[in-house]
Amino acid sequence: MLLSEKKKEKMVITGNHAVAYAVKLSRVKVISAYPITPQTSIVEKLSEFVEKGELDASIIKVESEHSALAAVYGAAIAGARSFTATSSHGLLYMHEWVHWFSRARIPTVMAVVTRTIGPPWNIWPDHSDFIDQRDAGWIMSFAMDNQEVVDLVIQAFKIGEDPSVYLPVMIGLEGFILGGTAMPVELPFEEDVAKFLGERRQPYSVADSVVSVGNLTSPEDTELMQMDIQAAMERSKEIIRKVDEEYGRLFGRKYGGLTSCYRCEDAKYVAFTMGAWSGDAMEAVDILRNQGIDVGLVRIRYVRPFPSEEIKQALSSARMGIVFDRSISFGGYGQLFEDIASAIVNAREKATIVNVIAGLGGVNITAEDFANVLGKLISDFEEGKELSHKLWYHSGEVMKY
């Protein structure tokens, strides 16, 4: 049953403003961020909410992104529900504090409006800045559209503040593709979100007790703490699934948990994507299905914890998986491909999987591009041609790298 029977409010807003509205609905108490394209309008909107008295929060002005996350850390460790947002080089500048947050086991939420890392200087989006944080101990989710942005931000507070988790959560959305593009979004009522989230929970507070944070520990204790983070990550998988179910029951929208599957139940060929271009990939699936090709799409909604069980299930009866990465580990593969390959390494029946790097630096990839790449790779596979595991799609051509 839906939590509220009142008529839902719909607005046409950008992805950045979708983040801001979700933060407002979550009744965040402390916000700090430093302006950087294409993130800035998130904090501008939140400042507007505070100035108008619509959000009872403190905004801490700082001189850099490094200080912004440090300020949010201080607020969170003292017990305040906190938030920040950044992009690209701003996120890289925060990187030290990204680790401090997760290793202190303090929940917070950060939106990353993704943007290519320079040089060369470039403000268009890919996934390089976001995926660069995958080993830092944060729960990491990525939205496909502005509605999902709202829902992921609200859910992030509930997931991160769960006593079996206590970890910070990062939400990715591509700059300009979602961040600066307006589309219809349904906003829950604030009082309903307050009931859903409840009071902030965290493992300890420096405001309530004397604790030592950042003290020198033995190697054994340090390793134990890192083992606890890994255990919390594994537990968070079930929390993410439960929160998705509960949110769907209360607000009318659920997505499938750590992944979202599109026409993949009977698929012989499965494509894997993450982010806004998944909508183009779905259109490509429809094009190929109309041609009699049994292809489906698995959209990765959470990079950390990685949905290994869902990946294994999706590939259990498939002949081939095609993984589209919008970032690359130079000298290796795309990072999603590496994780997907690891997920099935011990599977008894292994599907062939290939990696396609595309869309770096903000290069536009259309539904026709996806259909062309998938169609060619599936055709080559069915004809028995030898396939390279490392492919790059650029200027309409599939090439080895």
Side-chain angles (χ1 to χ4, degrees), residues 40-70:
T40 308
S41 61
I42 293 177
V43 194
E44 288 176 340
K45 193 66 178 175
L46 286 168
S47 299
E48 183 182 316
F49 290 144
V50 172
E51 180 66 21
K52 290 181 176 177
E54 297 176 13
L55 174 61
D56 180 19
S58 298
I59 294 184
I60 303 175
K61 297 178 181 176
V62 290
E63 84 291 352
S64 72
E65 288 87 353
H66 187 275
S67 297
L69 194 54

Side-chain angles (χ1 to χ4, degrees), residues 163-353:
S164 67
V165 178
Y166 286 145
L167 286 172
V169 184
M170 199 177 292
I171 297 104
L173 65 155
E174 287 105 337
F176 301 114
I177 297 175
L178 293 189
T181 302
M183 60 183 76
V185 167
E186 183 179 282
L187 295 174
F189 290 105
E190 185 170 334
E191 58 268 30
D192 293 343
V193 175
K195 290 177 187 173
F196 172 71
L197 291 180
E199 295 297 318
R200 174 178 169 81
R201 294 178 292 182
Q202 65 182 68
Y204 57 89
S205 166
V206 295
D208 299 332
S209 57
V210 178
V211 297
S212 175
V213 179
N215 204 0
L216 187 67
T217 62
S218 69
E220 289 75 13
D221 285 340
T222 301
E223 187 171 60
L224 282 172
M225 293 171 74
Q226 295 187 20
M227 291 166 66
D228 283 345
I229 293 174
Q230 175 65 9
M233 273 284 178
E234 291 300 322
R235 289 194 297 270
S236 74
K237 292 180 178 179
E238 191 55 32
I239 301 302
I240 289 166
R241 296 182 188 113
K242 285 182 178 177
V243 168
D244 182 52
E245 286 288 331
E246 182 184 2
Y247 196 87
R249 192 170 63 252
L250 297 179
F251 297 102
R253 286 181 299 280
K254 63 179 181 178
Y255 296 86
L258 288 89
T259 62
S260 180
C261 191
Y262 183 71
R263 303 186 74 170
C264 57
E265 293 80 5
D266 63 340
K268 296 177 182 173
Y269 305 96
V270 180
F272 295 89
T273 58
M274 179 179 78
W277 71 353
S278 303
D280 300 294
M282 288 178 186
E283 289 185 37
V285 166
D286 290 338
I287 292 170
L288 295 173
R289 283 277 182 171
N290 288 336
Q291 297 173 8
I293 300 172
D294 295 330
V295 62
L297 175 78
V298 173
R299 178 167 66 89
I300 308 294
R301 298 184 69 235
Y302 283 82
V303 177
R304 288 292 181 273
F306 195 73
S308 302
E309 295 82 1
E310 287 83 348
I311 300 299
K312 272 190 270 189
Q313 177 63 32
L315 288 173
S316 61
S317 56
R319 301 177 69 189
M320 181 168 66
I322 303 104
V323 185
F324 290 89
D325 271 284
R326 205 160 194 170
S327 61
I328 185 170
S329 174
F330 292 114
Y333 296 84
Q335 291 89 342
L336 292 183
F337 175 84
E338 291 175 343
D339 283 340
I340 287 170
S342 298
I344 64 167
V345 68
N346 290 324
R348 184 168 296 176
E349 299 293 333
K350 295 187 184 68
T352 296
I353 53 171

